Amino acid sequence: MEPAPLASLQEEGEGEPGESPSSAAAAVPPRPATHHSLHKYAPLDWSAYFDEERRVAIPDTEDVFNVYMAGSEGPVVFCLHGGGYSGLSFALAASRMKEKARVVSMDLRGHGKSTTSDDSDLSIETLSSDVIAVLRTLYGDSPPAIILVGHSMGGSVAIHVAAKKVIRNLHGLVVIDVVEGTAMASLIHMQKILANRAQHFPSIEKAIEWSVKGGPLRNIDSARVSIPSTLKYDESREWYEGLSEKFLSCPVQKVLLLAGTDRLDRALTIGQMQGKFQMVVVRHTGHAIQEDVPEEFASHILNFIARNKIGPNGVEFHRIVQMHHHL
């Protein structure tokens, strides 16, 4: 679920990761970074994908949350990134959804450009309260139709927020590749990976290159937007304890996007058989589905909105963006 430990980064045309230094050197002599390589991993600005960056100050607190916004009509697709990512994790997908929906992607506490009185407090209760506070500050007591979308840790936050039943006009919940059983089982492994993760890179380009060669991402363009804003973080068991039952109890339409069927635990397997939520397995992708295949992810979200007629008149369109990866 998280980045693999840092391996030495090869330039374009050098040996594959995992080769011994002698075999890699025998195949291609070491050489300095080329202009092509630096350009390929150069950062991309958020403004190519979102329409607005807004600072949301929570009344009577020191907390100011950074959100990215795109689109002006339709229901609000409120996106919550995973631990160590940022709101820009949804940049490429937002650009594909904003003609049919309003996309709001938030930098959670301790991530991206958000600043709070205690950035180290990543408890599930605090993170959930932050999301509720941002929604209320943005929309008051009469919000538009809202769909909560959360990836990994953000998926856990989205489930906890929905389960509180305090968000008015909440119509849908989309959880991306997080299941209680597999998440809990991987925490020890994830802590070891985080302890061995690179602390410094010689350039932003190298950090972006690592994220797609030895890290969690596969889509270079998405990495070029999202990686520069990411921060270190620590995992917590409470993010995932009791998550499956809480997800099943949320009284809204639900869809679970998974990168593999092996991620289902017993409670979700039974719930899926009982028709309590829709499950979609997205092939040919890693853990960060919204970054690796943003076009396919966007079409799943728009299909979810259309099928459940979310918004003033639902989302009506004759042709959803064609998906490149078949289920």
Side-chain angles (χ1 to χ4, degrees):
M1 292 175 65
E2 298 300 329
L6 176 68
S8 59
L9 293 173
Q10 291 94 4
E11 300 299 335
E12 297 300 306
E14 289 189 19
E16 294 297 319
E19 284 186 332
S20 66
S22 59
S23 62
V28 180
R31 58 184 175 81
T34 63
H35 175 74
H36 170 73
S37 174
L38 292 176
H39 177 74
K40 180 177 180 180
Y41 297 105
L44 295 174
D45 193 71
W46 64 265
S47 60
Y49 306 94
F50 289 99
D51 301 330
E52 178 186 358
E53 182 183 35
R54 184 181 300 182
R55 305 284 285 169
V56 180
I58 307 303
D60 303 319
T61 75
E62 300 175 20
D63 302 342
V64 181
F65 293 96
N66 194 67
V67 300
Y68 299 94
M69 312 179 84
S72 59
E73 297 181 353
V76 171
V77 178
F78 197 87
C79 301
L80 305 173
H81 60 79
Y85 294 78
S86 78
L88 292 175
S89 181
F90 292 90
L92 270 65
S95 69
R96 291 161 169 82
M97 291 188 283
K98 65 181 183 180
E99 296 303 318
K100 302 296 180 183
R102 286 174 279 181
V103 182
V104 179
S105 192
M106 171 183 172
D107 285 342
L108 293 170
R109 176 182 294 252
H111 294 73
K113 297 180 182 179
S114 291
T115 58
T116 68
S117 58
D118 185 2
D119 287 344
S120 65
D121 180 5
L122 299 182
S123 67
I124 193 64
E125 187 62 34
T126 296
L127 293 173
S128 301
S129 296
D130 289 343
V131 172
I132 293 168
V134 169
L135 284 167
R136 286 178 172 166
T137 303
L138 284 173
Y139 303 115
D141 294 328
S142 301
I146 294 172
I147 301 101
L148 285 178
V149 178
H151 168 237
S152 196
M153 178 194 78
S156 175
V157 176
I159 291 170
H160 280 80
V161 170
K164 290 178 182 294
K165 305 176 186 177
V166 296
I167 300 300
R168 298 185 62 180
N169 220 12
L170 179 63
H171 284 258
L173 175 63
V174 180
V175 176
I176 308 166
D177 210 43
V178 59
V179 170
E180 177 185 350
T182 52
M184 292 291 289
S186 68
L187 281 177
I188 295 176
H189 174 64
M190 290 161 66
Q191 290 285 5
K192 182 178 180 181
I193 289 173
L194 289 169
N196 294 329
R197 197 165 55 168
Q199 303 298 310
H200 302 285
F201 294 96
S203 68
I204 294 177
E205 289 82 0
K206 278 295 183 184
I208 294 169
E209 183 179 2
W210 173 79
S211 75
V212 292
K213 285 188 173 181
L217 304 180
R218 300 184 183 184
N219 186 308
I220 292 176
D221 283 346
S222 188
R224 291 167 70 188
V225 182
S226 67
I227 287 299
S229 65
T230 58
L231 298 175
K232 279 183 59 183
Y233 74 108
D234 291 318
E235 283 276 359
S236 171
R237 290 180 63 88
E238 68 166 2
W239 291 345
Y240 305 117
E241 287 180 330
L243 194 63
S244 294
E245 292 296 342
K246 195 175 291 289
F247 172 71
L248 293 171
S249 72
C250 292
V252 293
Q253 295 297 319
K254 299 178 285 292
V255 61
L256 177 62
L257 298 180
L258 295 177
T261 54
D262 59 319
R263 288 159 169 78
L264 277 189
D265 57 25
R266 183 174 183 273
L268 289 180
T269 299
I270 294 172
Q272 200 268 334
M273 293 175 63
Q274 294 174 338
K276 292 185 177 180
F277 66 96
Q278 179 195 4
M279 183 182 74
V280 177
V281 179
V282 183
R283 308 292 184 184
H284 315 297
T285 181
H287 177 51
I289 296 171
Q290 75 281 6
E291 296 214 37
D292 293 341
V293 286
E295 189 169 351
E296 181 172 354
F297 171 79
S299 40
H300 283 310
I301 299 298
L302 293 180
N303 269 316
F304 176 75
I305 294 171
R307 184 172 58 254
N308 293 289
K309 297 180 172 60
I310 298 173
N313 301 302
V315 173
E316 299 176 1
F317 48 94
H318 299 292
R319 181 178 178 274
I320 294 177
V321 178
Q322 184 177 1
M323 293 187 293
H324 291 296
H325 301 281
H326 300 291
L327 299 182

